[in-house]
Amino acid sequence: MRTSFLAALVVAAALPLPVAAAGSDDNSLTVAFAREMDTLNPYLNTTREGVILSRHVWDGLVHRDQETGDYVGNLATGWSWVDDTTLEFTLREGVTFHNGEPFNADDVVYTMNFVADPANGVNPQRNVSWIREAVKIDDNTVRIITDGPFPAALEFLSGPVVILPDTYFAEVGPEGMATAPIGTGPYKLTENVPGESLTLERFADYHANGPKGTASIDKISWRTIPDANTQMAEMLSGGMDWIWQVPSDQAERLASTGRYTVANESTMRIGYIFFDAGDRYGDTPFDDVRVRHAVSHAINRQAIVDNLLKGGSQVVHSACFPSQFGCDTDVTRYEYDPEKAMALLAEAGYPNGFEIPFVAYRNRDYAEAMMSDLAAVGITPKLDYKKYAATRDQIQAGEVPLAFMTWGSYSINDISAITSVFFKGGKDDYARDPEVIAALDEGDTVTDPEVRKAAYSRALNKIADESYWLPLFSYNTNYVHDTNLNFTPTPDEIPTFYGASWK
């Protein structure tokens, strides 16, 4: 814990408890996020903050219930598969966009056909690459044609695929949507100060009978504060109502003041180590499966969970999040065994270990714990620690032999959003295994759920047997907020302020 936070905590502990939270006086909520969004356009923003903003400003055709996992209607009230590649939707009537545009089939068709065209640069493309086109049947009926069978379509339509207003978007284009976005969501953006803050106000004409319900809080002040200690100081001084991703030790100390509620919730994000098993980086010791197995036995994942992550985290053994459709967790497991790791290294011709570049972009303390474990068996990682965007570009260029990374699947509860992203021969695939690629392609395109599960199981078992990845652990998040705030975190790592209220 940093000295500045400790000093602030000591001062705060001596202060009288506030009678009411500042936000409760005028029914506003002030929240902080660490990362600035380069764009507010939901189809160009790849950050977690962008995913969260999207759920408040826009709506999708369907919505996944967090408690049951069922799909329920949002901008659509019903749907059916006409055939293996055609989904027909009946649209909700009486919905309007924040600028007063009426919502109808034209908006759905315009959005789908725009994002389906690779020339329009949707990022990440994989969220929409399954869409071929949309066709209007009448003002309240539309069909979405998929680019081949895609059984996970509803899952994607409940998450990253949101509906844009056709008239406004045609006028302002992606650039206008990036700075002054318009949606149908429970909150509308009223102010955007790039790099500093957003102001969201409750949309009075929101369709109250939808699954998100009517928002209670009138205004959300969304501030960008990169420094964690500054966020803490703001909480302690009463200038902030809600923060998240608070380290466990600091969350425990904040809870001890009695002024804050600390809630811990697991997330769909997992950490993993990948190896250059496909020679994209060039010849490395990881060409030998015994070396990959050695690393898998060398890292004490349970100790990292127990001592650093804590909360609802757990060791993960398969290259997916356990709740995702098709995630077979009954795969080869590599228990912590440094002696076995050293024996495997010696057998592979590295009795004295070796030195290797090691790339990471977050949780430096986790990375350093892994480096210590590897050093104990003779492997010397040379840490190259940088921001995510630079790390991603380096990886996709094939310039990384070993890396500690994480993935949240855009909160899509289907393994096509993780395993297929990293193992189907694309720019993130460092294995390039034809058997894995074929199995994932089958799982991604057949409609029979049991056949899908069997195909995904083959892929996941091959990945585990070959140690193409070492899945590490699931993440959890500590949410800290004023005790007067009703807020319930959900396991999809998307805080929904439209469901929050003041006591």
Side-chain angles (χ1 to χ4, degrees):
M1 183 175 60
R2 296 178 184 174
T3 303
S4 58
F5 172 63
L6 178 59
L9 185 57
V10 170
V11 171
L15 295 174
L17 252 106
V19 175
S24 65
D25 292 339
D26 61 358
N27 198 28
S28 67
L29 178 68
T30 303
V31 303
F33 291 90
R35 285 190 293 183
E36 176 186 358
M37 289 177 280
D38 293 333
T39 173
L40 305 185
N41 186 330
Y43 287 110
L44 298 177
N45 196 327
T46 61
T47 66
R48 174 59 46 172
E49 287 79 358
V51 174
I52 296 165
L53 181 69
S54 175
R55 302 299 172 90
H56 290 77
V57 176
W58 290 274
D59 288 309
L61 292 173
V62 295
H63 179 87
R64 174 158 50 84
D65 186 291
Q66 285 297 306
E67 294 185 3
T68 66
D70 295 335
Y71 300 113
V72 296
N74 192 350
L75 292 180
T77 57
W79 56 87
S80 62
W81 284 98
V82 177
D83 54 45
D84 285 352
T85 60
T86 307
L87 259 173
E88 183 171 291
F89 291 89
T90 301
L91 304 182
R92 189 181 298 276
E93 297 183 43
V95 176
T96 59
F97 286 92
H98 299 155
N99 63 349
E101 278 188 48
F103 162 75
N104 56 37
D106 293 330
D107 303 296
V108 178
V109 170
Y110 185 92
T111 299
M112 296 298 163
N113 290 339
F114 181 87
V115 302
D117 184 351
N120 290 324
V122 171
N123 187 20
Q125 185 66 211
R126 57 183 162 268
N127 284 344
V128 297
S129 59
W130 54 274
I131 302 170
R132 176 175 293 176
E133 64 174 334
V135 178
K136 178 180 178 179
I137 305 302
D138 57 45
D139 281 349
N140 297 310
T141 310
V142 66
R143 288 183 174 180
I144 296 177
I145 317 300
T146 63
D147 191 18
F150 189 69
L154 285 175
E155 178 64 22
F156 281 77
L157 290 168
S158 74
V161 182
V162 296
I163 306 302
L164 308 175
D166 65 331
T167 302
Y168 178 74
F169 191 64
E171 292 173 355
V172 304
E175 296 79 12
M177 193 63 71
T179 56
I182 294 292
T184 61
Y187 282 93
K188 60 182 179 179
L189 183 80
T190 58
E191 185 179 29
N192 172 21
V193 182
E196 294 184 17
S197 65
L198 304 173
T199 301
L200 305 175
E201 294 185 9
R202 185 169 62 86
F203 182 38
D205 295 326
Y206 187 66
H207 50 284
N209 53 346
K212 294 180 181 179
T214 301
S216 173
I217 291 172
D218 290 331
K219 184 173 76 171
I220 300 172
S221 297
W222 173 310
R223 295 177 57 191
T224 300
I225 304 178
D227 182 67
N229 282 328
T230 303
Q231 290 190 20
M232 298 289 183
E234 289 274 11
M235 281 293 293
L236 293 166
S237 68
M240 191 68 57
D241 301 313
W242 180 100
I243 57 176
W244 77 331
Q245 297 179 338
V246 180
S248 296
D249 59 342
Q250 296 182 359
E252 291 165 1
R253 289 174 171 84
L254 282 169
S256 71
T257 69
R259 291 171 49 184
Y260 310 98
T261 296
V262 176
N264 180 271
E265 179 61 78
S266 62
T267 75
M268 288 178 64
R269 181 172 301 276
I270 69 167
Y272 63 91
I273 283 180
F274 80 77
F275 310 94
D276 178 34
D279 276 344
R280 290 184 60 186
Y281 179 84
D283 292 337
T284 72
F286 303 125
D287 294 339
D288 192 320
V289 68
R290 292 170 295 185
V291 176
R292 303 196 297 270
H293 287 167
V295 172
S296 300
H297 283 296
I299 294 176
N300 192 342
R301 294 173 287 172
Q302 189 63 57
I304 296 173
V305 168
D306 292 343
N307 297 311
L308 297 176
L309 283 95
K310 302 182 181 179
S313 292
Q314 59 184 335
V315 172
V316 174
H317 300 282
S318 202
C320 48
F321 185 76
S323 75
Q324 290 177 308
F325 178 88
C327 186
D328 183 358
T329 59
D330 187 18
V331 299
T332 300
R333 299 188 175 198
Y334 299 90
E335 303 302 332
Y336 175 57
D337 190 340
E339 292 186 2
K340 186 171 185 177
M342 288 187 283
L344 285 165
L345 288 172
E347 183 182 326
Y350 301 97
N352 300 315
F354 54 87
E355 184 177 294
I356 197 79
F358 181 48
V359 169
Y361 78 100
R362 66 181 289 171
N363 305 120
R364 190 178 187 119
D365 50 346
Y366 303 177
E368 289 173 347
M370 292 180 234
M371 292 168 63
S372 177
D373 286 340
L374 292 174
V377 301
I379 299 173
T380 305
K382 294 296 183 181
L383 182 61
D384 181 9
Y385 191 84
K386 54 171 66 77
K387 291 183 178 181
Y388 173 73
T391 302
R392 177 202 60 211
D393 292 347
Q394 188 179 3
I395 288 170
Q396 293 181 348
E399 298 170 352
V400 175
L402 179 71
F404 160 46
M405 299 295 291
T406 78
W407 190 250
S409 298
Y410 289 87
S411 298
I412 295 167
N413 206 30
D414 189 285
I415 78 163
S416 61
I418 179 169
T419 319
S420 299
V421 171
F422 294 99
F423 289 99
K424 275 184 69 172
K427 54 189 176 182
D428 291 294
D429 188 352
Y430 271 72
R432 305 288 173 93
D433 185 313
E435 290 182 25
V436 173
I437 293 170
L440 291 173
D441 189 56
E442 180 181 0
D444 287 351
T445 57
V446 297
T447 56
D448 186 317
E450 296 307 313
V451 175
R452 289 189 76 202
K453 289 178 183 177
Y456 286 144
S457 178
R458 292 197 304 275
L460 291 167
N461 275 276
K462 181 71 181 294
I463 292 166
D465 290 346
E466 295 292 330
S467 284
Y468 291 141
W469 265 20
L470 173 62
L472 296 167
F473 34 69
S474 62
Y475 275 72
N476 69 83
T477 292
N478 285 313
Y479 300 80
V480 178
H481 58 82
D482 191 285
T483 55
N484 291 309
L485 180 69
N486 293 309
F487 171 81
T488 303
T490 52
D492 61 357
E493 203 180 0
I494 301 176
T496 51
F497 301 123
Y498 52 78
S501 64
W502 289 105
K503 296 178 183 177

